Amino acid sequence: MLRRNIRLRREYLYRKSLEGKERLLYENKRKIKEALEEGKAIPTELVNEEAALRQEIDLEDEHTAVPKTHIDDEYANAAEKDPKILLTTSRDPSSRLTQFVKEMKIVFPNAQRMNRGGQVISEIIGTCRAHDFTDVILVHEHRGEPDGLIVCHLPFGPTAYFGLLNVVTRHDIKDKKSMGTMPEVYPHLILNNFTTKLGERTANILKHLFPVPKLDSRRIITFANQSDYISFRHHIYEKHGGPKAIDLKEIGPRFEMRLYQIKLGTVDQNEAQNEWVIRPYMNTAKKHNVLSTAHPIESSFETTKRLKPTIKRPSKAS
């Protein structure tokens, strides 16, 4: 198994090293194609390669014209099988963090929770690779409050690092009857306002944590981006009357996420290259959003907040 993982890793790095050559070849073919369409002369640096490149252009179709990248290879097998996720925490977790992870286990279908104990990250990643896990999620805390979420895709990455804010668990809500039980059916996903390249990359990482749901599923999970803060909400809906009479009910948990790093590798690889990382000057650029091109606007998700959802923050008196 160890030799197999080493071989697969070498093949992945080799494919990644060829990207520069493939990108240069793609640019040369694009220049020749534009010159032929506009009736201009072939660029002088491409005259000797014109015949071979035109032959390759004639053999291409819409699937082979644009070169694939290592980003395409990361989720190439995602449609073949459902995701299999391992959930764990930092060492010596508090009772609140343990309760939060138990709820997140139901949020993610096909997830398994593991007590961290004294295991190191490299051992966890190696075991998950051997048992065909697709993702590892680690949840961290600070003084008993969950404050970090790491999503590591296997076997080769990427790894996304999120900060957690305003975490409200189902355990915090006293009115259990109005909240109801949490179904385990595969949910529908709403990914709102991820319009930039980095936003699409983030949405791609999040959506592959969930399998394809059935059409009649009444469970909805929302990732709504506003000002680079991703709001996570969990709802179910019921049809009591006609098709327009829909009762939307929030069942928790709820929290906000903020992306601060994406790494091209697994969480145990300290030498892995950073695809994107937040910088100190980005915190002061309030009008610049990295996950969406538009200015913060009231999304369709924000209208659901006016419906007075069931989950509320516990009062200070309690």
Side-chain angles (χ1 to χ4, degrees), residues 236-251:
I236 58 172
Y237 70 90
E238 298 175 356
K239 296 181 179 179
H240 295 293
K244 294 185 179 180
I246 295 177
D247 183 18
L248 189 65
K249 184 179 181 181
E250 186 173 1
I251 57 175

Side-chain angles (χ1 to χ4, degrees), residues 26 29 33 55-62 64-66:
Y26 169 73
K29 288 189 285 188
K33 206 182 280 187
Q55 187 176 2
E56 290 187 16
I57 292 172
D58 294 337
L59 297 175
E60 288 177 346
D61 57 13
E62 58 182 5
T64 59
V66 180

Side-chain angles (χ1 to χ4, degrees), residues 105-217:
K105 175 187 176 296
I106 306 177
V107 168
F108 296 107
N110 304 327
Q112 299 179 24
R113 184 177 66 88
M114 185 192 73
N115 293 328
R116 175 68 180 274
Q119 291 189 340
V120 297
I121 295 296
S122 57
E123 292 177 357
I124 296 174
I125 298 297
T127 304
C128 290
R129 282 200 185 105
H131 291 82
D132 293 329
F133 280 84
T134 60
D135 296 272
V136 176
I137 298 178
L138 290 94
V139 188
H140 296 274
E141 65 178 342
H142 178 69
R143 294 184 177 180
E145 187 69 24
D147 71 335
L149 187 76
I150 302 175
V151 179
C152 176
H153 184 66
L154 297 179
F156 307 124
T159 302
Y161 296 78
F162 298 93
L164 295 182
L165 305 95
N166 305 327
V167 177
V168 180
T169 65
R170 286 169 56 88
H171 190 70
D172 297 332
I173 311 305
K174 294 185 177 181
D175 191 2
K176 305 295 182 185
K177 292 184 180 179
S178 61
M179 182 173 51
T181 59
M182 187 188 298
E184 297 189 27
V185 67
Y186 292 173
H188 293 286
L189 291 183
I190 298 177
L191 298 165
N192 186 42
N193 202 23
F194 295 91
T195 53
T196 63
K197 241 183 171 181
L198 180 62
E200 292 175 357
R201 174 70 158 155
T202 306
N204 198 42
I205 292 172
L206 294 174
K207 77 177 182 182
H208 282 103
L209 297 174
F210 299 89
V212 178
K214 294 183 179 179
L215 293 176
D216 58 350
S217 174

